[in-house]
Amino acid sequence: MDPLHARYPFLAAARESVREADIGLVGVVTGDERHPAVERGVERVRRALVDGTVRPGPDGERRWSTRAELLSYPVARVLVSLVDAPGAVEKYASSEADTAYERFTDDFENPDDGLKSTADTAISLDALLAEFDLAGAVRETPSGDGYRVAVGRYLALSSNLDGESWTLATRQLADGAVKVSERELHELLREAVRQRVAAGLPTDVPDEIRAGLTDEVAELQDTFSEIDISRDIPVLAPDCFPPCVASLVERAQGGEDLSDPAEFALVSFLTSANADTDELLALCGVDGDTRAKAVRYRASRVGDESGAQYAPPSCETMAAYGECPVADDEDPTTDARCDSISHPLAYYEDALDTAENV
Ligand code: SF4
C-alpha cells in the first residue's frame, strides 16, 4: 500500500487501492480482536472531535502501519456516521481537512527534503489540483504573484468560507477568473478536501458492520457526551475551581510546560468559565508572544462555532490523563464534592451555587 494514500486517504487513488486490495470492512470490524485499523479509526474520530486534528496522538505518530492508517479512514467514516451527536460529521470533516492542509502545505514547501522516501509520500500542487478537477480552472498569474481561479469553481469553494474577503465584490475579477494569493489557493484546496470528506456522510451502515462496531461507537458516544455538556458559566471564580483545574493553574503559573491534554483541559475549562483573553493568559501563566499565540489559538479552537464540541474532559478522562488529583494512586486529594460529580464543570457549578448561597 502506498504511504501517500495513508497520508491522504480521501484521494480517489487511495479509495481504489483499498478496493483493489479487496479488504472488506466486514472482515476488519468483526474479527475476534480489535483490528489496528479499527483502533486507529476510533482514535481518528476522537481526535477529530476533541482536538480538531486526525493526526495520531503525540505518542503514536509512528505506531500505525500504512495499512492500518489507510483503512482507518473508511472505518472512521462509518464510526462518525454511527455516533449520534449533532455536529459530529461537520467537525470530523473539518478536522480531516485541517490535517490535510497542514500536510499538503508542508509538502509544497518541502517536496522531498532531499530524501527519496519523502518524495514518495509528498503530494504536489499540480497533483492536488488535478485530484479535484481544478487543473484547468487554476492558473498562476504571469507575474507569479498569485493565481487566477475560474469564477464558478471559486464560488463553489469559497461560499462556505468565513470572512468578507471571500465575497466576489471584494475580488479582482477578469476574464471569468478571480485572483487569489497562494495562501488563499491553499485554503480553497482545504475546502475542497472538506467537501469531499463530508460528501456522503452520514453514510448508511449495513447491520453487520453496525453490530461489529457497537463497543467503539459507545466509547465515542461517551467522549461526545462529555463534550456536549459544555455550556457557558458566566462567572470566573478561581476559588471555586475543582482540584484538577486549580492544580493545572498552579503548575502553569509556576512555569511548567503542560502536556497537550493538560493544556487542552485547562484552556477549555477556562473558556467555558468565561475567562477573557487576559484572564486566560494570566491563569495559564503565559508570558511571551509565542506561548500567548499558542494559547490564543487553542482558545479560539475550543470556543469557536458551536463551542459545545470542545468542552473540557470529564473526570474519567482527566484520571486517564493522570490529571485528577483525587484519583492519584500515591497521594490522593480528598474532596467531598468530587465524590458526587463526574465532570469538572459540574464541580464548578456546584461550588458556585454553594458560594452564592453562603
Ligand atoms: S474528580 Fe473530577 S473535578 Fe474532582 S479533581 Fe478529579 S477530575 Fe477534577
Side-chain angles (χ1 to χ4, degrees):
M1 283 187 168
D2 188 336
L4 179 73
H5 298 159
R7 296 182 74 223
Y8 300 105
F10 53 84
L11 297 176
R15 264 203 316 262
E16 189 58 20
S17 77
V18 172
R19 204 185 58 77
E20 275 174 7
D22 200 18
I23 305 163
L25 213 48
V26 175
V28 170
V29 305
T30 55
D32 289 341
E33 291 187 2
R34 190 183 268 191
H35 193 287
V38 174
E39 198 175 325
R40 171 69 181 120
V42 171
E43 183 193 44
R44 198 172 189 110
V45 174
R46 189 198 309 278
R47 293 267 287 157
L49 301 187
V50 175
D51 294 331
T53 177
V54 297
R55 282 182 186 274
D59 302 333
E61 191 70 58
R62 292 183 175 269
R63 208 173 102 209
W64 306 105
S65 65
T66 298
R67 184 186 174 93
E69 187 66 25
L70 176 57
L71 289 176
S72 72
Y73 177 69
V75 171
R77 290 178 63 85
V78 168
L79 286 170
V80 84
S81 299
L82 294 173
V83 170
D84 179 21
V89 163
E90 292 77 7
K91 183 68 212 151
Y92 170 71
S94 292
S95 299
E96 285 281 359
D98 284 353
T99 305
Y101 175 88
E102 286 170 13
R103 288 178 173 161
F104 67 65
T105 50
D106 195 40
D107 285 356
F108 297 166
E109 268 179 38
N110 311 295
D112 61 17
D113 263 353
L115 300 171
K116 186 177 179 309
S117 57
T118 316
D120 289 345
T121 59
I123 199 162
S124 68
L125 175 61
D126 286 347
L128 203 54
L129 289 173
E131 175 72 24
F132 292 109
D133 206 15
L134 287 164
V138 175
R139 287 276 172 273
E140 193 166 1
T141 60
S143 59
D145 65 343
Y147 293 84
R148 294 200 165 275
V149 183
V151 65
R153 302 306 304 276
Y154 174 85
L155 287 172
L157 292 173
S158 66
S159 57
N160 268 324
L161 301 179
D162 286 338
E164 185 79 1
S165 65
W166 290 108
T167 59
L168 217 42
T170 63
R171 293 274 157 184
Q172 280 182 32
L173 178 63
D175 297 332
V178 182
K179 169 111 185 276
V180 298
S181 67
E182 184 181 42
R183 185 185 55 75
E184 288 169 337
L185 179 64
H186 295 170
E187 288 185 28
L188 293 173
L189 284 169
R190 171 184 9 210
E191 174 60 11
V193 175
R194 191 199 64 74
Q195 289 181 7
R196 178 170 291 178
V197 173
L201 286 179
T203 184
D204 279 338
V205 181
D207 288 346
E208 202 176 352
I209 293 178
R210 183 185 292 264
L213 291 171
T214 307
D215 291 349
E216 290 75 11
V217 170
E219 207 176 307
L220 286 167
Q221 205 92 38
D222 191 36
T223 303
F224 211 87
S225 63
E226 289 172 13
I227 295 168
D228 201 32
I229 78 151
S230 173
R231 51 197 172 264
D232 280 345
I233 302 174
V235 184
L236 184 69
D239 287 349
C240 294
F241 286 175
C244 48
V245 176
S247 157
L248 290 172
V249 169
E250 192 183 322
R251 285 157 50 199
Q253 290 183 333
E256 184 178 326
D257 201 7
L258 299 179
S259 67
D260 268 2
E263 185 177 274
F264 172 77
L266 178 57
V267 173
S268 54
F269 181 92
L270 294 175
T271 305
S272 295
N274 216 27
D276 65 24
T277 306
D278 289 343
E279 290 164 335
L280 186 72
L281 296 180
L283 287 163
C284 290
V286 172
D287 51 7
D289 282 354
T290 312
R291 284 277 302 133
K293 206 170 152 202
V295 169
R296 272 202 209 95
Y297 176 72
R298 175 81 86 176
S300 73
R301 297 286 316 190
V302 301
D304 71 358
E305 298 159 15
S306 51
Q309 294 175 18
Y310 295 100
S314 68
C315 297
E316 190 183 343
T317 305
M318 290 292 277
Y321 286 154
E323 296 295 350
C324 170
V326 171
D328 186 343
D329 287 339
E330 286 170 13
D331 181 20
T333 299
T334 308
D335 188 306
R337 185 171 281 116
C338 283
D339 294 342
S340 62
I341 50 85
S342 61
H343 199 286
L345 280 179
Y347 180 111
Y348 186 50
E349 277 192 312
D350 192 54
L352 284 174
D353 280 351
T354 307
E356 216 170 75
N357 291 336
V358 169

